[in-house]
Amino acid sequence: AHAAFIIQRPLYLGLTSGLVGAWSFDGPTIAGTQVYDQSNSYATGTMTGANGLPQKTLGQLGQALSFDGVDDYVVTSEFNSATSFTYSAWIKLNQLGIYGHIVEWQGTQFYVSNGNKLALWAASGNTALQANVWYFVSVTRTPDGATFYLNGVNDGSVVAGPDPWSPTAGVYIGRWYSVSSEFFSSTV
């Protein structure tokens, strides 16, 4: 892929080449409200929340952030536009039956639908996720379409959707950038 986001990257993989952003949420990569990007983009994120910040907690691989689903999120600086990319993250849902935005970049939302399935644009994966279970989730987008992966297994594909566009904001983790009521109740 031409661009990728990896949240909670395994340290033993040594993934840095070609990444656009990598936020592990591990202890040394967080200072105060700052979340440091471990890719060569150095796009530091800022933890935000009107009623408290995302909380550090035990993750699937090291440390994670717990998002309350009310007002917690991380926002980073802008990136260059890309038509091919991959989003990946370890997630554990705290609540079912609501929209939860894992990550959004360039106006493309990778989220969990209110049917508890992975989604991009208006398309969704095939498997309903359960609460309190760790999942490794990914979506790969090319000009031809997108493919969902759940724990490394293909979970459905969709023919090309809208082209990504460049918003006036950066990457959002845990929130839809333009709707202040759609936050992710999860651990990432």
Side-chain angles (χ1 to χ4, degrees), residues 140-157:
T140 299
R141 194 247 198 247
T142 67
D144 298 326
T147 303
F148 299 100
Y149 295 93
L150 184 59
N151 296 324
V153 177
N154 185 315
D155 191 50
S157 297

Side-chain angles (χ1 to χ4, degrees), residues 20-25 29-39 41-48 53-54 65 67 73-79 170-173:
V20 172
W23 299 272
S24 72
F25 300 152
T29 67
I30 297 177
T33 62
Q34 302 301 295
V35 179
Y36 299 111
D37 178 6
Q38 296 171 300
S39 76
S41 298
Y42 305 108
T44 298
T46 302
M47 291 190 291
T48 304
L53 300 174
L65 288 180
F67 295 84
Y73 63 98
V74 174
V75 64
T76 74
S77 59
E78 292 183 52
F79 290 96
V171 173
Y172 283 79
I173 300 168

Side-chain angles (χ1 to χ4, degrees), residues 21-181:
W23 299 272
S24 72
F25 300 152
D26 278 330
T29 67
I30 297 177
T33 62
Q34 302 301 295
V35 179
Y36 299 111
D37 178 6
Q38 296 171 300
S39 76
N40 292 331
S41 298
Y42 305 108
T44 298
T46 302
M47 291 190 291
T48 304
N51 298 308
L53 300 174
Q55 296 296 302
K56 298 175 192 174
T57 188
L58 184 63
Q60 180 66 5
L61 296 171
Q63 187 171 289
L65 288 180
S66 179
F67 295 84
D68 65 9
V70 176
D71 60 3
D72 293 355
Y73 63 98
V74 174
V75 64
T76 74
S77 59
E78 292 183 52
F79 290 96
N80 292 329
S81 181
T83 56
S84 296
F85 53 80
T86 299
Y87 297 149
S88 295
W90 280 100
I91 64 168
K92 182 171 72 169
L93 304 177
N94 298 334
Q95 188 174 1
L96 299 174
I98 60 170
Y99 285 97
H101 289 260
I102 302 166
V103 63
E104 179 169 351
W105 178 54
Q106 307 287 22
T108 301
Q109 303 103 19
F110 180 37
Y111 61 99
V112 176
S113 71
N114 62 353
N116 307 314
K117 296 180 180 181
L118 298 177
L120 185 76
W121 310 305
S124 66
N126 298 318
T127 305
L129 307 181
Q130 301 299 311
N132 302 311
V133 175
W134 281 105
Y135 296 100
F136 184 68
V137 299
S138 299
V139 64
T140 299
R141 194 247 198 247
T142 67
D144 298 326
T147 303
F148 299 100
Y149 295 93
L150 184 59
N151 296 324
V153 177
N154 185 315
D155 191 50
S157 297
V158 61
V159 178
D163 286 331
W165 55 281
S166 294
T168 57
V171 173
Y172 283 79
I173 300 168
R175 173 190 170 177
W176 186 7
Y177 82 99
S178 67
V179 177
S180 61
S181 63

